[in-house]
Amino acid sequence: MLLGLGIVLGVAGIGFLCWLLLLCAVYAAPLFVAAMVCTMLYDHAMMSGAHAVLAGIGAGIMVLVLGQAILASTRNPVLRITVSLLLALPAALAGFGMTLGFSGLGDMGAIPAYIFATFGALCVGGAAWTRLCAIQLA
């Protein structure tokens, strides 16, 4: 009884985390930029901790707004595809890491784990790219 409940709750928890990853995949690139700016400014002693965090948040917001503004204002398909792919690539990397971590929870070999992680990266990156391409012109 308890074993069955644990299995059901475990599958539901993994399903919830996958849904959350697909929902938030569009914001992977701004989060990555924010983390990199914050780390760079703090590690090189350019700013204190709070100032580096605020600068990182500002850089992430700027990437998000700039990317969505380009997608919402341009008609050039090459530029739209390029910006969408640049914003979806970090989402695909996050999907790869998350599915590789999920496959590490079980007793899976290395080759099937990487195949599963590649499939997860394609799914998450594809979902992010689809959501970004759906942004219509203003």
Side-chain angles (χ1 to χ4, degrees):
M1 173 79 175
L2 288 178
L3 179 63
L5 181 64
I7 290 172
V8 168
L9 289 178
V11 169
I14 289 175
F16 174 73
L17 290 176
C18 288
W19 172 77
L20 190 64
L21 177 67
L22 286 173
L23 185 69
C24 298
V26 176
Y27 306 110
L31 181 66
F32 176 74
V33 168
M36 291 304 297
V37 167
C38 178
T39 303
M40 182 189 66
L41 290 176
Y42 185 72
D43 283 348
H44 295 295
M46 293 180 184
M47 292 186 175
S48 66
H51 291 113
V53 169
L54 289 175
I57 289 171
I61 290 171
M62 190 168 50
V63 167
L64 177 66
V65 168
L66 186 65
Q68 288 186 351
I70 289 172
L71 290 174
S73 65
T74 187
R75 293 186 187 271
N76 186 358
V78 175
L79 183 61
R80 287 180 62 88
I81 290 173
T82 304
V83 170
S84 296
L85 285 176
L86 285 174
L87 290 174
L89 184 64
L93 293 175
F96 182 85
M98 187 169 179
T99 51
L100 188 62
F102 283 157
S103 64
L105 292 174
D107 195 19
M108 189 180 286
I111 292 174
Y114 279 99
I115 291 172
F116 184 61
T118 303
F119 179 71
L122 289 173
C123 289
V124 173
W129 189 62
T130 303
R131 287 185 64 193
L132 286 166
C133 286
I135 295 175
Q136 297 296 323
L137 294 173

